[in-house]
Amino acid sequence: MHDAPEEPRRFREKPVSFVRRSGRMSDAQERAWSELAPRFVIAVARDAAATSILPESHIDPAQTWGRPAPLVAEIGSGQGHAIVHAASTRTDTDFLAIEVFKAGLARTMLDGERAGVTNLRLVEANAPEVLEHLLPEASLDELWVFFPDPWHKAKHNKRRLVAPEFPPLAARALKDGGMLRLATDWEDYARQMREVLDDAPQFERAFPGEWAERFEGRVVTAFERKGAAKGREIRDLTYRRAPRP
């Protein structure tokens, strides 16, 4: 009798909100990783998966950025347009770009270098693990989630980032009174986000009416223009972290 084949090793118990694509990077992007990553990218201890964070391996923000300052993190920073603009215009605040796509992180570093920013750091990692393990509790003043992957097919909805498991992780990382800002161009995802966060005891609405006003710090990106060109309405949401018991 043959032994049963071993089950494939499972790196995570839950599906992640991304599919990690690989592709050839440009010479400039390769240079970013070789020359700029030591300045911009936070080196983290990994668990089994390439984009994981080893539990209990949190950073000290004041040491990482070299000063005590308000801290803002963006989940899914993409090419870095929003966060580089913010870092260059809000020099009294520190910023963390959370992304899994190396080419996007490389572009962010290149633009950050051109803008001369010193208050921006990047981490190549799965966002929920950053919120749970890398960031100390109550370390964020703001958390941004702009245009996360909508996973618009019903069978893939389970991959969406903003689901019932998300608010406790976001609330852990945010200070009391800290702001959670979200935007999407998919109406059904916007409604799911609102339902999930309205039901979360850690958060309270920071907007009247059906949707929040556009956040001034959210610059218009090529991604947003593409959605608008297809007739999709942009919807914003803003929530405040409720005081801890």
Side-chain angles (χ1 to χ4, degrees):
M1 181 181 293
H2 296 289
D3 293 334
E6 292 185 5
E7 292 185 3
R9 188 177 183 186
R10 294 180 59 186
F11 288 170
R12 295 184 174 103
E13 293 181 357
K14 298 177 182 178
V16 293
S17 61
F18 59 88
V19 173
R20 200 168 185 230
R21 302 173 183 87
S22 60
R24 185 180 180 277
M25 293 198 294
S26 68
D27 291 343
Q29 290 169 333
E30 293 286 0
R31 181 184 72 83
W33 277 101
S34 63
E35 298 179 12
L36 302 179
R39 187 199 320 171
F40 284 104
V41 177
I42 298 174
V44 298
R46 302 292 185 186
D47 207 339
T51 56
S52 62
I53 301 288
L54 190 67
E56 306 303 325
S57 57
H58 61 268
I59 60 171
D60 178 348
Q63 184 177 42
T64 300
W65 276 266
R67 64 176 182 175
L71 180 58
V72 176
E74 181 182 11
I75 292 176
S77 54
Q79 305 266 340
H81 298 138
I83 203 161
V84 170
H85 176 269
S88 64
T89 55
R90 295 171 58 181
T91 56
D92 61 341
T93 299
D94 292 332
F95 291 87
L96 175 64
I98 305 169
E99 181 55 78
V100 296
F101 301 117
K102 292 182 75 76
L105 290 167
R107 173 65 182 271
T108 303
M109 286 188 275
L110 291 168
D111 287 351
E113 180 193 34
R114 279 192 285 268
V117 299
T118 59
N119 55 339
L120 174 63
R121 299 292 182 272
L122 288 61
V123 63
E124 182 188 7
N126 180 32
E129 293 174 68
V130 173
L131 298 177
E132 184 176 7
H133 302 305
L134 190 68
L135 290 169
E137 184 172 356
S139 58
L140 290 180
D141 291 82
E142 294 185 29
L143 178 62
W144 300 349
V145 185
F146 298 152
F147 304 99
D149 194 324
W151 292 101
H152 57 276
K153 293 184 178 180
K155 65 180 180 179
H156 293 151
N157 282 178
K158 63 185 178 182
R159 286 185 174 271
R160 286 178 169 175
L161 173 70
V162 185
E165 299 82 8
F166 177 74
L169 296 178
R172 176 196 170 278
L174 279 164
K175 296 176 181 177
D176 290 2
M179 305 304 293
L180 172 59
R181 304 183 187 279
L182 311 97
T184 181
D185 58 347
W186 286 86
E187 181 179 2
D188 72 310
Y189 196 8
R191 294 186 180 281
Q192 175 181 320
M193 289 177 173
R194 191 176 60 188
E195 181 179 348
V196 165
L197 289 162
D198 281 350
D199 287 345
Q202 305 94 337
F203 288 96
E204 53 194 26
R205 280 196 188 193
F207 62 96
E210 193 172 11
W211 306 105
E213 294 293 325
R214 181 190 180 91
F215 169 49
E216 285 185 3
R218 183 168 66 76
V219 299
V220 179
T221 63
F223 187 90
E224 180 176 348
R225 290 191 188 95
K226 186 182 297 184
K230 293 180 179 178
R232 294 198 289 266
E233 183 178 347
I234 312 302
R235 292 175 171 83
D236 284 75
L237 293 165
T238 307
Y239 286 82
R240 182 178 292 105
R241 193 347 173 160
R244 287 168 169 78

